[in-house]
Amino acid sequence: MKTETYMQKEQRALLKLINFRLPRRFMTIGIIICVATILLMVFRETLFGEESLVIRDTLQKSLLIGMLVMSITKDREEDEMTIQLRMQSYAWAFITGVIYALIMPYVEFGVSSVLNADNETFKNLGDFQVLLFMLLVQLMCYHVLKRYR
C-alpha cells in the first residue's frame, strides 16, 4: 500500500475546502436572513430608539452572514460548469473589490470636497462596505453568468 505524500494530503484538503457547498435549503435561510436584516436596518430607529453601535454592527454582520450563506449554497444542478462559473464570479468579485477599495476613498474625498468647502479628511473604507460590495458583485456575477451560459 502506498502512503500519501504530504503534498497530496494538502491538495486533497484544499480541494475539499474549495468544493464545500451548503445544501440547497440554505438559500432560503440566507434570503430570509438578508431580508429580515435589511428591514431591521430600515426601521432601526423606530424599533430600538436611539442609535446603538452594537445593534448597527450586529445587523451589518448578520447581513454579511446571510449573503455568505447564499453565496456558498449549492444550485439545483451542480455540475462542472456551475462550479467554473462560481469560481469566475469569485474572481470578478475579488478584482472589483480591490479596485473599489483603492479608488472609492479618492472619489468620496473629491465629491465631499466639491460639495463642502470645509477641510475634508481622507477616509478609508470600512470592512463592512468592502465585504458587502464583494458579496453583491459575486452573487450578481454568478447569476448573470449562469443565465447566459
Side-chain angles (χ1 to χ4, degrees):
M1 192 187 306
K2 276 183 142 178
T3 59
E4 284 185 304
T5 65
Y6 177 76
M7 192 67 109
Q8 291 170 334
K9 289 180 184 178
E10 288 296 316
Q11 184 178 18
R12 197 175 67 226
L14 182 63
L15 286 175
K16 187 176 178 181
L17 178 67
I18 289 172
N19 294 327
F20 174 75
R21 299 283 176 262
L22 292 173
R24 178 75 183 143
R25 66 181 176 269
F26 279 90
M27 180 62 83
T28 307
I29 293 170
I31 291 171
I32 290 170
I33 291 171
C34 287
V35 169
T37 302
I38 290 170
L39 288 174
L40 285 173
M41 285 178 163
V42 169
F43 298 113
R44 182 181 58 193
E45 292 282 328
T46 58
L47 293 174
F48 302 113
E50 64 184 56
E51 176 141 351
S52 172
L53 292 176
V54 174
I55 293 171
R56 187 188 76 193
D57 289 344
T58 304
L59 290 174
Q60 287 177 348
K61 302 282 190 263
S62 65
L63 181 62
L64 290 177
I65 289 169
M67 291 179 73
L68 180 64
V69 166
M70 290 169 55
S71 176
I72 61 174
T73 299
K74 284 183 183 178
D75 277 344
R76 286 185 195 101
E77 301 171 5
E78 192 77 21
D79 58 0
E80 293 85 14
M81 182 66 154
T82 58
I83 292 171
Q84 179 68 26
L85 295 176
R86 191 181 306 268
M87 291 304 131
Q88 285 179 350
S89 68
Y90 282 127
W92 275 108
F94 178 76
I95 291 167
T96 57
V98 169
I99 292 170
Y100 177 78
L102 292 174
I103 293 174
M104 198 59 190
Y106 297 108
V107 171
E108 284 184 13
F109 178 72
V111 170
S112 64
S113 65
V114 167
L115 294 177
N116 299 334
D118 302 343
N119 290 340
E120 288 295 319
T121 59
F122 184 78
K123 306 182 276 191
N124 282 324
L125 297 176
D127 57 347
F128 171 73
Q129 192 173 357
V130 173
L131 290 173
L132 179 70
F133 180 77
M134 289 175 72
L135 283 168
L136 281 171
V137 168
Q138 190 276 324
L139 289 170
M140 288 188 307
C141 281
Y142 179 63
H143 289 289
V144 167
L145 287 171
K146 198 169 64 170
R147 178 173 288 166
Y148 294 114
R149 64 178 164 155

